[in-house]
Amino acid sequence: ERVYLIRRGAVRLSRVYESGEEITVALLRENSLFGVLSLLTGHRSDRFYHSVAFTRVEMITAPAGSVRQAIEADSGVGLLLLQGLSSRILQTETMIETLTHRDMSSRLVSFLLVLCRDFGVPSDRGITIDLRLS
């Protein structure tokens, strides 16, 4: 029922199933959106998600109805939302490609490269991924 925009930091978004099992569906960074399903469908989602901050996070949040009104009033807001959703689709496609590698070492290398690109901080010793991942 709300839309969230991450202004700073990193968030893990996971899907919680009725069995209690939790699966990570996205690792989000600055300027990433989530909570847009209710905005697009006009209904409360029957999917249950859980978000956890990996780092210190600053977010902007607004009711889905207010965001919908802003889109209707200003097409630029709709364009920004579309850009955010496109970014999430590309991230999902990249993750699917990463997970379809046949052997574990290839999947790990591909995943580390994605993390370096999206969350890496260059230093004189290489690239640091400052996220607590299991």
Side-chain angles (χ1 to χ4, degrees):
E1 297 175 355
R2 298 189 72 80
V3 176
Y4 301 87
L5 172 66
I6 301 169
R7 296 299 299 152
R8 185 177 356 181
V11 171
R12 177 176 63 99
L13 187 64
S14 57
R15 173 108 154 72
V16 180
Y17 294 90
E18 290 179 12
S19 65
E21 185 181 15
E22 188 173 356
I23 306 276
T24 298
V25 295
L27 299 174
L28 306 174
R29 61 178 189 240
E30 294 174 0
N31 299 318
S32 294
L33 289 167
F34 66 99
V36 295
L37 285 178
S38 58
L39 173 68
L40 298 174
T41 64
H43 304 292
R44 184 180 175 134
S45 176
D46 62 347
R47 295 174 170 247
F48 297 98
Y49 292 93
H50 185 72
S51 59
V52 174
F54 277 125
T55 63
R56 185 176 187 93
V57 172
E58 291 179 20
M59 290 194 306
I60 298 171
T61 180
S66 297
V67 176
R68 183 182 291 273
Q69 290 172 352
I71 291 169
E72 291 170 357
D74 182 355
S75 61
V77 174
L79 182 59
L80 287 172
L81 182 66
L82 187 58
Q83 289 171 338
L85 291 173
S86 297
S87 176
R88 283 284 301 279
I89 290 169
L90 288 173
Q91 181 191 39
T92 301
E93 288 177 354
T94 300
M95 194 57 67
I96 290 169
E97 291 169 0
T98 297
L99 295 174
T100 57
H101 289 296
R102 297 191 192 279
D103 62 288
M104 180 59 85
S105 60
S106 295
R107 286 196 303 261
L108 179 60
V109 169
S110 294
F111 185 59
L112 287 172
L113 289 172
V114 168
L115 290 175
C116 285
R117 184 194 68 212
D118 292 349
F119 299 98
V121 178
S123 70
D124 55 343
R125 296 179 54 203
I127 298 175
T128 301
I129 304 167
D130 192 21
L131 301 175
R132 290 179 168 236
L133 299 171
S134 59

